[in-house]
Amino acid sequence: MRKEAAPTSAPSTAGKLFVCFETKLLLATLLSLTLVMLLWNLPPYYQNLLSTARPCSAHLTSVASVAATATITTTTSLHSNNASLPYTATPVAEKRYYSAPKEKPRDPNKRVFEAYGNAAALFVKMGAYRGGPTTFAVVGLASKPIHVFGRPWYKCEWISNNGSSFRTKAYKMLPDWGYGRVYTVVVVNCTFPFNPNQDNLGGKLMINAYYGESQRKYEKFTALEEDPGSYNDSKYRPPFQYEYLYCGSSLYGNLSSDRIREWMAYHAWFFGPSSHFVFHDAGGVTPEVMAVLDPWVRAGRATVQDIRGQAEFDGYYYNQFLVVNDCLHRNRHAANWTFFFDVDEYIYLPNGNTLESVLNEFSGYTQFTIEQNPMSSVLCLNDSSQRYSGQWGFEKLLFRESRTRIRRDRKYAIQAKNAYSTGVHMSEHVIGKTLHKTETKIRYYHYHNTITVHQELCREYIPFSAKTNVIWFNKLPYVYDDNMKKLASTIKEFETNTVGNLRLN
């Protein structure tokens, strides 16, 4: 009988190697995970340290982004077999305002100033547009104090897809007349000595935004990109797409859909088929307002842009200076004349003038301003034959405030191809002349304080004798003026024939 060998209690040599290998792999994996998590949480700190030593923080941001991307890739690979592992690291982008504490000085009389966060951005871009073969405009907001008390400046660079690049110093304009709040409006003009995309291979416009006179501290961003073959020189020469373009200010508040409907129908008729209207919704385009604009949008007569995001940046009156400048440059070569006025104002041609004849007469001017006829928002004639509840606003508000020799706000029209920036009441950055003496040719009726009234507009009734006499109301003189009422039936018929009868609730 063969004798069996006694079983050994120690592992074999192969077993020892396997156990050793398995233990080292586990330790290596744990060490790798620890290092990954450590690195993931360190970039904001090191980014902050580096930003004080390098001139361009934009470059550092891109480096940090690459590092974060690499870390995410590594983490994803390591976690591929266990996607449910807890993850609490904060992304770099969410820690961009983290400030490392400064070292305490040994001298107790040496004070340290520690900054946390940023109160306002150096530049907030709304849009960037080519304004012609050699010129570009970048429209945005910037911290107002830095422009009032500092000397920020800008540099433009075109990087072509063919590998070449061209630089030029920018010219900045602050077109909001000092009305800005936390933010002021900035229009950056980049004009090159030649077309930087003359080979039409495409490229991009880069902007360096400097914090002050020093060239060492700046932010760099891509303002505009052109695809290969997209440049078309004919876009910047007449004939343009439209005769007339309307650039509206920010629409906000509880707007009346009735008033918007009346305004749109009137001006679509006034400017004719070769016109287009650009509205900017800052919160005022409710579903009811959109319902009256939508037929005109679908007909190709109007565009409604959503600018509600502007609320994050505290500028003057819902950033209306920003909005009109963006509209100017976005549509600089879209029409022969661009008009700027509000949705409680109605352009009117007195003395039988036609719009075509008036603008032909004004063609030698880059812009002209328009005088207003201020109308009462509450006065109506006490006439029992009128059913005011079924009439439009301009059909029943017929009393014009008649003081003379006082300064009133004016609105304006401009040949946009000759303007570099603009304002709410006129532009100060144009090539060419400005005309102000226009009241016998063109005016506008201003129905102030009516655009947010949802109930009946007629709230004070004036005796019938007021048709031929000056009346006083709230210590102001008023006269009867029915020029707009005479056009009401024409406008209503035009609306029905163009977009159908709009029935509002």
Side-chain angles (χ1 to χ4, degrees):
M1 181 175 181
R2 190 164 62 102
K3 187 176 180 180
E4 294 287 340
T8 179
S9 60
S12 65
T13 303
K16 288 182 179 181
L17 290 173
F18 179 80
V19 171
C20 181
F21 177 80
E22 187 176 38
T23 303
K24 288 184 177 181
L25 179 62
L26 178 61
L27 288 173
T29 303
L30 290 173
L31 181 60
S32 298
L33 284 171
T34 303
L35 287 173
V36 165
M37 298 305 291
L38 180 62
L39 288 173
W40 179 254
N41 284 276
L42 284 178
Y45 174 73
Y46 283 112
Q47 181 185 5
N48 184 270
L49 289 178
L50 288 169
S51 65
T52 62
R54 295 293 298 274
C56 177
S57 59
H59 172 70
L60 294 174
T61 302
S62 63
V63 171
S65 299
V66 171
T69 303
T71 303
I72 292 170
T73 304
T74 306
T75 305
T76 302
S77 175
L78 291 170
H79 289 184
S80 60
N81 294 326
N82 193 351
S84 63
L85 284 175
Y87 175 72
T88 59
T90 304
V92 174
E94 294 183 16
K95 286 192 174 182
R96 57 181 173 175
Y97 297 133
Y98 176 83
S99 298
K102 294 184 178 180
E103 183 180 353
K104 299 298 182 182
R106 295 181 179 179
D107 183 355
N109 292 317
K110 181 174 179 58
R111 305 300 301 276
V112 174
F113 299 89
E114 297 181 273
Y116 301 95
N118 292 313
L122 180 65
F123 194 84
V124 180
K125 188 188 80 169
M126 183 177 182
Y129 311 100
R130 179 185 274 272
T134 63
T135 186
F136 300 83
V138 184
V139 182
L141 297 168
S143 168
K144 183 176 179 180
I146 201 172
H147 281 272
V148 173
F149 302 107
R151 294 186 178 180
W153 55 290
Y154 304 90
K155 185 184 291 184
C156 312
E157 180 180 13
W158 178 267
I159 301 177
S160 176
N161 288 342
N162 65 14
S164 61
S165 65
F166 313 98
R167 294 180 180 178
T168 185
K169 187 173 179 179
Y171 175 71
K172 76 170 184 180
M173 291 158 277
L174 307 177
D176 64 4
W177 300 358
Y179 284 121
R181 291 165 58 88
V182 175
Y183 285 95
T184 190
V185 178
V186 181
V187 177
V188 179
N189 176 270
C190 301
T191 299
F192 294 87
F194 51 84
N195 181 1
N197 189 23
Q198 55 191 343
D199 57 10
N200 213 356
L201 292 178
K204 56 187 176 181
L205 178 69
M206 306 295 296
I207 299 294
N208 286 5
Y210 294 86
Y211 286 86
E213 293 182 352
S214 171
Q215 297 188 34
R216 298 183 62 187
K217 189 177 181 182
Y218 63 95
E219 304 291 339
K220 188 170 187 174
F221 61 91
T222 301
L224 175 148
E225 293 189 55
E226 285 186 350
D227 294 329
S230 63
Y231 174 75
N232 182 359
D233 186 69
S234 65
K235 289 173 57 177
Y236 310 104
R237 301 191 308 268
F240 300 128
Q241 184 176 3
Y242 304 108
E243 286 290 331
Y244 317 112
L245 186 99
Y246 168 76
C247 277
S249 291
S250 308
L251 294 178
Y252 59 90
N254 188 19
L255 300 181
S256 165
S257 57
D258 288 318
R259 303 292 84 79
I260 298 296
R261 171 202 182 179
E262 297 159 8
W263 185 97
M264 184 67 223
Y266 176 86
H267 288 98
W269 168 83
F270 179 86
F271 286 113
S274 184
S275 62
H276 194 79
F277 299 82
V278 181
F279 299 96
H280 297 90
D281 174 20
V285 180
T286 61
E288 293 76 18
V289 171
M290 193 63 215
V292 301
L293 290 177
D294 187 62
W296 299 100
V297 173
R298 287 187 280 108
R301 298 295 306 276
T303 297
V304 180
Q305 297 215 323
D306 182 348
I307 61 161
R308 298 189 183 204
Q310 60 78 35
E312 184 180 346
F313 308 100
D314 184 15
Y316 179 77
Y317 259 100
Y318 297 82
N319 284 305
Q320 62 174 325
F321 280 94
L322 172 68
V323 166
V324 295
N325 274 281
D326 182 82
C327 190
L328 170 78
H329 286 287
R330 188 182 185 90
N331 303 284
R332 193 179 188 207
H333 297 280
N336 292 322
W337 288 94
T338 302
F339 284 75
F340 296 87
F341 58 102
D342 293 327
V343 291
D344 59 355
E345 298 165 344
Y346 289 69
I347 308 296
Y348 178 77
L349 298 169
N351 306 322
N353 294 317
T354 65
L355 185 59
E356 183 179 8
S357 65
V358 168
L359 295 184
N360 282 339
E361 186 176 337
F362 294 169
S363 61
Y365 296 88
T366 289
Q367 70 176 335
F368 62 88
T369 60
I370 310 171
E371 187 172 315
Q372 70 166 289
N373 291 335
M375 303 298 288
S376 168
S377 61
V378 299
L379 299 179
C380 291
L381 197 66
N382 191 0
D383 184 354
S384 58
S385 67
Q386 301 292 320
R387 190 176 68 86
Y388 286 132
S389 62
Q391 293 185 4
W392 286 10
F394 66 80
E395 192 177 359
K396 54 191 173 186
L397 296 175
L398 308 177
F399 287 91
R400 172 169 50 85
E401 198 257 284
S402 58
R403 287 179 297 168
T404 58
R405 297 183 181 180
I406 65 169
R407 181 192 175 280
R408 302 186 193 275
D409 286 340
R410 301 172 75 97
K411 295 303 165 71
Y412 68 105
I414 197 167
Q415 295 193 57
K417 66 180 185 292
N418 293 329
Y420 291 107
S421 71
T422 197
V424 174
H425 299 289
M426 64 175 292
S427 171
E428 292 184 325
H429 300 98
V430 298
I431 301 172
K433 300 180 294 181
T434 297
L435 177 65
H436 296 292
K437 191 75 173 174
T438 62
E439 57 271 16
T440 63
K441 301 293 183 180
I442 188 169
R443 303 178 74 95
Y444 73 92
Y445 283 86
H446 187 191
Y447 299 88
H448 188 52
N449 290 333
T450 63
I451 197 65
T452 57
V453 177
H454 292 257
Q455 65 268 28
E456 174 55 51
L457 290 172
C458 293
R459 285 158 285 175
E460 297 286 343
Y461 293 90
I462 305 301
F464 202 77
S465 59
K467 289 184 71 171
T468 55
N469 297 290
V470 176
I471 61 146
W472 289 80
F473 181 76
N474 288 342
K475 299 182 180 181
L476 294 175
Y478 288 88
V479 296
Y480 183 78
D481 184 339
D482 64 351
N483 286 325
M484 292 294 291
K485 180 179 177 64
K486 295 173 183 177
L487 297 172
S489 59
T490 300
I491 306 307
K492 293 177 181 179
E493 182 181 359
F494 167 79
E495 179 196 59
T496 301
N497 293 338
T498 307
V499 294
N501 187 19
L502 302 181
R503 298 188 179 276
L504 306 181
N505 296 329

